[in-house]
Amino acid sequence: MKINIIYNKNIPNYKEQLTKVEEELKKYNTEFKSFDIDEMQYYGDFTITLGGDGTILRTARFYSAKKIPVLGINMGRLGFLSQSEKIQTIIKAVVRGEYHTEERIMLRSSDYLALNDFVVRGCNSSRASNFYLKINGHQVCDYIADGLIISTPTGSTAYGLSAGGPVVYPTLDAIVIVPICPHTLNARPLVVPITEKPVIKTNDGLLSVAIDGYDKIECTDKIEISVSEQKAVLAFLKKRQFYSVLRNKLHWGVSPEA
């Protein structure tokens, strides 16, 4: 096994954690190379990230082209996609192959990929905009809202959940469409098959599009979205279970303390 280590310099104490990971890998005589997230390269056949979920999303998109698994070591806040165990435990499991992988669908718009979501707003983001949603050429809904979230199941527990969208099991084949603060009570989230192709337009000028909460597409008059043929490959330690993560990370279904 050859391992890519991707670190995020914007995360405090990344140097200390990077050193620990490298020292652990040396104990197992494992070949590795470390790359800044802005300078990723194709070297190994497995990838470890040091950072938060944003680091994992960006890294997984990059390595999806060669179907290289990505496992995250949490150095952020929530760490929904990453592991929170001790570095020694994680490295030992990785080199022994004691992990499982999951393929996750991604969305595509032009040359851009999103593992979590595309967030569409008006270029004048200081006010609500009119959004017109078509799917496969059919008019579906007109929204007056702060924006629209077009999400994968992986992204359903991110911004879409905060905006009132549903939790979708991460390996399902589905697209989630969630309006952000719609100015009506009858605008509800949609869950549609991956064969559908949403198109969003506005008559309020141009659209601004954020990808996985990070990159942005230049303002455009419309955005067309479809499911990409490329899939991200995420790796998790074997004992990880989605419902437990929901409960432990998001306190899902946990009764408030008296």
Side-chain angles (χ1 to χ4, degrees):
M1 175 183 284
K2 293 183 179 180
I3 293 180
N4 312 296
I5 305 173
I6 308 301
Y7 57 89
N8 189 337
K9 292 187 294 186
N10 295 319
I11 302 294
N13 302 321
Y14 83 90
K15 288 184 178 179
E16 177 184 345
Q17 300 303 312
L18 176 61
T19 299
K20 288 182 179 179
V21 170
E22 292 176 339
E23 289 177 348
E24 285 299 314
L25 288 172
K26 288 176 182 177
K27 291 179 182 179
Y28 296 95
N29 296 317
T30 302
E31 297 182 55
F32 64 87
K33 285 188 179 181
S34 302
F35 304 100
D36 179 89
I37 193 169
D38 293 322
E39 300 173 352
M40 287 185 284
Q41 297 179 24
Y42 296 116
Y43 163 74
D45 46 22
F46 191 92
T47 300
I48 295 173
T49 69
L50 299 173
D53 284 348
T55 304
I56 295 176
L57 293 171
R58 191 173 167 191
T59 303
R61 294 201 312 265
F62 179 83
Y63 286 109
S64 68
K66 295 196 174 183
K67 298 183 178 181
I68 296 173
V70 175
L71 180 144
I73 296 178
N74 183 35
M75 293 178 59
R77 290 171 294 177
L78 183 62
F80 197 84
L81 296 174
S82 57
Q83 305 289 158
S84 299
E85 288 82 356
K86 292 182 179 180
I87 287 176
Q88 294 90 334
T89 301
I90 295 172
I91 299 304
K92 181 179 179 180
V94 168
V95 297
R96 291 185 173 185
E98 296 172 352
Y99 60 86
H100 71 275
T101 60
E102 296 178 2
E103 287 192 341
R104 302 289 182 89
I105 67 168
M106 295 190 293
L107 301 176
R108 177 178 292 279
S109 182
S110 185
D111 294 329
Y112 298 93
L113 290 173
L115 176 51
N116 257 6
D117 50 42
F118 287 106
V119 178
V120 183
R121 299 180 186 271
C123 277
N124 183 358
S125 60
S126 62
R127 62 181 177 84
S129 299
N130 288 282
F131 299 96
Y132 306 106
L133 172 66
K134 286 187 175 183
I135 296 179
N136 296 345
H138 300 286
Q139 190 70 27
V140 176
C141 194
D142 300 344
Y143 301 95
I144 299 176
D146 287 354
L148 289 178
I149 302 167
I150 315 297
S151 166
T152 66
T154 299
S156 71
T157 50
Y159 193 10
L161 180 62
S162 299
V167 172
V168 180
Y169 197 84
T171 55
L172 285 179
D173 289 338
I175 301 172
V176 185
I177 302 170
V178 183
I180 305 170
C181 300
H183 288 204
T184 177
L185 295 177
N186 62 3
R188 292 291 181 263
L190 292 172
V191 179
V192 300
I194 60 172
T195 52
E196 308 295 75
K197 297 182 179 181
V199 176
I200 302 163
K201 295 183 179 181
T202 181
N203 63 0
D204 292 343
L206 299 176
L207 297 170
S208 170
V209 186
I211 308 164
D212 286 347
Y214 184 78
D215 300 302
K216 284 190 175 181
I217 299 176
E218 294 291 333
C219 287
T220 181
D221 60 345
K222 71 176 180 179
I223 177 170
E224 301 180 15
I225 296 172
S226 60
V227 170
S228 171
E229 293 182 358
Q230 285 181 221
K231 290 187 176 182
V233 183
L234 301 183
F236 304 100
L237 299 190
K238 285 189 175 180
K239 64 180 180 180
R240 179 186 171 99
Q241 208 270 348
F242 176 67
Y243 303 112
S244 298
V245 174
L246 274 182
R247 189 171 179 86
N248 296 332
K249 298 279 188 178
L250 299 181
H251 306 291
W252 190 270
V254 178
S255 300
E257 296 182 1

